[in-house]
Amino acid sequence: MFVQIAKDELIKETYKKAWFQTNNIIWPIILLYPVFSIIDYVYAPEIWIQFFIVRLITSALIFGLHGLFTAKHYDYRLLLHISFFMLSVTSALLCNIVKIQNLNIYYLVFATIVLFFNLQVFWEPINSFIEVLTAVLLLAIFFNLFSDYNLDIVIGTGGGQFFIITAIISCIIPGTRYKVMRRDVRSQILIEKSNEQLKQQNADINAKNNLIDAQYEQLRKIDGQKNSFINIAGHDLKNLIGSVVMSNNMIKEEDYRLSSDQKEYVGYIAESAEKMQYLLNKLMDVKEIESPEMQFKLEIFDANVEVAHVFRGLYETAQMKNIHLTDNILKLPLNVRLDRVFAGQVFQNLLSNAIKFSQTNNDIRVVTSLQRQRFVFEIIDEGIAIGQKELDMMFNKLKTLNDTSGTNESRLGLGLSIAKLMTQEMGGELSYRSDDNGNYFRVEFYVIN
């Protein structure tokens, strides 16, 4: 998070800080300066009433100037210079008309006023040097006009020396104070702007959280509707599969009237119904649906036999489209440890989609082999390419493909996506490509020695 401070903004905040410090000087002077008459009453009783009036007038003038400068937004430096000059006139005059034995007291009071100013003031240090020079100049003028003592006697008392040393040392304070306070003002602005940014970001986060909560609630409702649909569809499918199984069993009871091919088809129906029941039970298991990992029923079986079974089941479908299926399935047993139903579903989905997307009179080869201790299942279609982009969509995003072949086939990538997911979940690898040479699909599983 990067915060920038505009020059005008820094000047404005610095000016506010300067006026705050100016008020810390002006108001104590207005309230306390007349109290200094107590010192006059003790050490200069013959003139204390006159100077009490002078101090009152000085405080009143400073009060009026403060109101004027505040209302008109004049420069605070000018107000401080005028106020200090008025205090310096009174103090310098007293330092030159009181008795010599009380001289140190009034030099000490004058030094206290200078020190108080420089400890509180917020301005460039050159202003403090100007004030000290003004105070020394007033002392020199009033010394020539009113003092009855020579300079050696005044210096010998030590009061003048103490005032000069205190005034010069105090001039060093505003320089450091000015830098520190400007840095504090800058830091304060940074903190305030950072807080504003954090508040805005927090508001944005809250708004996004509210949006996420609303979307989550909507998704939760959709998920509930999905589960309800699965339950309804699942129960209906169970009834349909039950009807298929019952009808097939009735046919099997009269198998003596069936030909060998019809008996084989009855076997296919029975095996397919069994697989459908298995898949449906998986689907209906809500705990497995919502779990991060699919639970498989692993068993050892010959992968080539399963591929051959899928090949025979889809051979008639291919012939209906005048597609020539070529069997290059190994006769050598290659045992794998997988879920037989899901592995068969992978082979089924890949080959059925290859047939569906293939053109009439195309040749499709189904090949199995053993490579690097892996069972390899390949589908090689040397017809018109489906398109690599479209295959990526079908395998990865479950999106409907555009019909580029001119047929009315419905191209949904759901079956291919399921095939890829099941292959990966069972520890296998699935790859594919589509280029000028046609379409190619490949599945690999580790074999059991």
Side-chain angles (χ1 to χ4, degrees):
M1 183 174 59
F2 182 72
V3 179
Q4 289 184 332
I5 302 177
K7 184 177 180 181
D8 293 341
E9 187 177 13
L10 180 61
I11 292 174
K12 180 180 178 181
E13 292 299 321
T14 302
Y15 197 73
K16 287 169 60 178
K17 185 69 174 179
W19 263 108
F20 176 78
Q21 292 302 123
T22 300
N23 290 331
N24 289 342
I25 296 173
I26 296 300
W27 284 108
I29 289 174
I30 293 173
L31 297 174
L32 298 178
Y33 192 57
V35 179
F36 283 17
S37 294
I38 297 174
I39 299 175
D40 299 337
Y41 179 78
V42 174
Y43 295 101
E46 66 279 3
I47 57 173
W48 82 271
I49 294 178
Q50 295 90 324
F51 275 90
F52 176 69
I53 296 173
V54 170
R55 293 182 191 276
L56 286 175
I57 294 172
T58 301
S59 294
L61 289 174
I62 293 175
F63 176 77
L65 288 172
H66 177 266
L68 176 65
F69 274 66
T70 303
K72 299 294 184 179
H73 301 288
Y74 292 151
D75 193 344
Y76 67 95
R77 299 176 183 84
L78 182 59
L79 174 62
L80 290 174
H81 281 302
I82 294 174
S83 300
F84 186 81
F85 178 79
M86 294 171 67
L87 298 177
S88 297
V89 169
T90 304
S91 299
L93 181 59
L94 283 169
C95 287
N96 286 282
I97 62 176
V98 297
K99 296 178 180 179
I100 191 67
Q101 63 269 23
N102 300 324
L103 194 60
N104 288 343
I105 298 296
Y106 283 92
Y107 271 112
L108 180 61
V109 171
F110 199 0
T112 301
I113 294 173
V114 174
L115 185 61
F116 171 74
F117 254 80
N118 287 328
L119 286 175
Q120 294 292 327
V121 78
F122 177 37
W123 61 10
E124 296 80 358
I126 186 64
N127 293 282
S128 295
F129 284 102
I130 292 173
E131 294 294 347
V132 170
L133 291 175
T134 301
V136 173
L137 181 60
L138 288 173
L139 284 171
I141 292 173
F142 290 141
F143 177 79
N144 290 327
L145 292 176
F146 302 108
S147 181
D148 295 330
Y149 312 104
N150 59 44
L151 186 60
D152 293 336
I153 296 175
V154 173
I155 294 175
T157 61
Q161 299 177 19
F162 177 79
F163 171 78
I164 295 297
I165 294 172
T166 302
I168 293 175
I169 293 176
S170 67
C171 286
I172 302 173
I173 299 173
T176 304
R177 182 178 177 80
Y178 185 74
K179 293 178 181 179
V180 171
M181 294 187 71
R182 276 182 64 89
R183 186 173 66 239
D184 291 343
V185 170
R186 186 179 183 86
S187 299
Q188 182 179 355
I189 296 174
L190 286 173
I191 292 172
E192 290 176 354
K193 293 177 76 69
S194 299
N195 287 338
E196 287 298 322
Q197 285 191 1
L198 289 174
K199 289 179 181 178
Q200 183 61 42
Q201 290 176 355
N202 186 57
D204 293 340
I205 290 172
N206 289 334
K208 291 178 180 178
N209 285 338
N210 292 334
L211 179 61
I212 291 172
D213 290 340
Q215 292 175 341
Y216 170 77
E217 184 64 24
Q218 184 178 6
L219 288 174
R220 191 181 64 81
K221 292 180 180 178
I222 294 174
D223 185 64
Q225 294 174 355
K226 177 262 297 180
N227 288 334
S228 298
F229 172 78
I230 290 175
N231 289 332
I232 295 171
H235 285 92
D236 290 343
L237 287 174
K238 278 186 176 181
N239 294 331
L240 292 174
I241 294 172
S243 298
V244 171
V245 172
M246 183 176 64
S247 300
N248 193 58
N249 288 337
M250 292 174 64
I251 295 174
K252 287 172 66 177
E253 289 177 356
E254 298 185 7
D255 59 354
Y256 60 90
R257 299 169 56 184
L258 303 177
S259 65
S260 59
D261 289 341
Q262 290 173 334
K263 290 179 181 179
E264 185 178 1
Y265 294 149
V266 169
Y268 286 154
I269 294 172
E271 187 173 351
S272 297
E274 182 183 351
K275 290 181 179 179
M276 288 176 65
Q277 285 181 328
Y278 177 80
L279 291 173
L280 186 58
N281 289 333
K282 285 286 185 181
L283 180 66
M284 294 299 294
D285 190 345
V286 178
K287 291 184 179 179
E288 285 194 3
I289 291 173
E290 296 179 349
S291 65
E293 296 181 357
M294 182 67 73
Q295 301 297 321
F296 295 107
K297 181 182 178 182
L298 301 179
E299 57 181 300
I300 297 175
F301 61 92
D302 185 356
N304 284 322
V305 172
E306 190 65 30
V307 172
H309 176 72
V310 171
F311 182 90
R312 290 193 298 272
L314 293 172
Y315 187 79
E316 293 293 334
T317 303
Q319 282 190 330
M320 292 174 62
K321 288 187 65 174
N322 292 325
I323 294 173
H324 307 295
L325 283 184
T326 304
D327 176 1
N328 293 129
I329 302 172
L330 280 180
K331 306 306 178 184
L332 173 70
L334 292 179
N335 291 330
V336 293
R337 188 171 184 270
L338 302 169
D339 188 305
R340 181 193 292 268
V341 175
F342 281 103
Q345 197 67 33
V346 170
F347 305 143
Q348 174 90 15
N349 287 358
L350 291 176
L351 185 54
S352 64
N353 276 278
I355 294 171
K356 181 169 65 174
F357 300 151
S358 185
Q359 305 300 308
T360 302
N361 297 321
N362 271 3
D363 292 327
I364 297 178
R365 287 190 293 130
V366 178
V367 182
T368 63
S369 59
L370 176 65
Q371 300 179 24
R372 303 187 307 277
Q373 283 300 108
R374 288 191 174 196
F375 166 77
V376 178
F377 169 76
E378 297 171 289
I379 298 175
I380 304 170
D381 175 8
E382 297 177 351
I384 298 175
I386 297 174
Q388 187 68 30
K389 183 177 180 181
E390 292 182 328
L391 282 182
D392 288 337
M393 293 171 65
M394 286 191 290
F395 275 101
N396 298 312
K397 298 183 179 180
L398 304 179
K399 290 185 178 179
T400 303
L401 294 176
N402 293 325
D403 188 2
T404 59
S405 64
T407 66
N408 293 322
E409 295 275 10
S410 175
R411 291 188 168 188
L412 281 176
L414 182 60
L416 297 180
S417 297
I418 292 174
K420 182 178 180 181
L421 175 63
M422 293 298 100
T423 301
Q424 293 174 343
E425 289 291 328
M426 291 187 291
E429 294 182 6
L430 189 152
S431 58
Y432 56 90
R433 69 170 183 269
S434 182
D435 51 31
D436 294 338
N437 296 323
N439 308 298
Y440 175 79
F441 306 90
R442 178 188 179 101
V443 175
E444 299 181 26
F445 289 114
Y446 282 104
V447 299
I448 303 298
N449 290 332

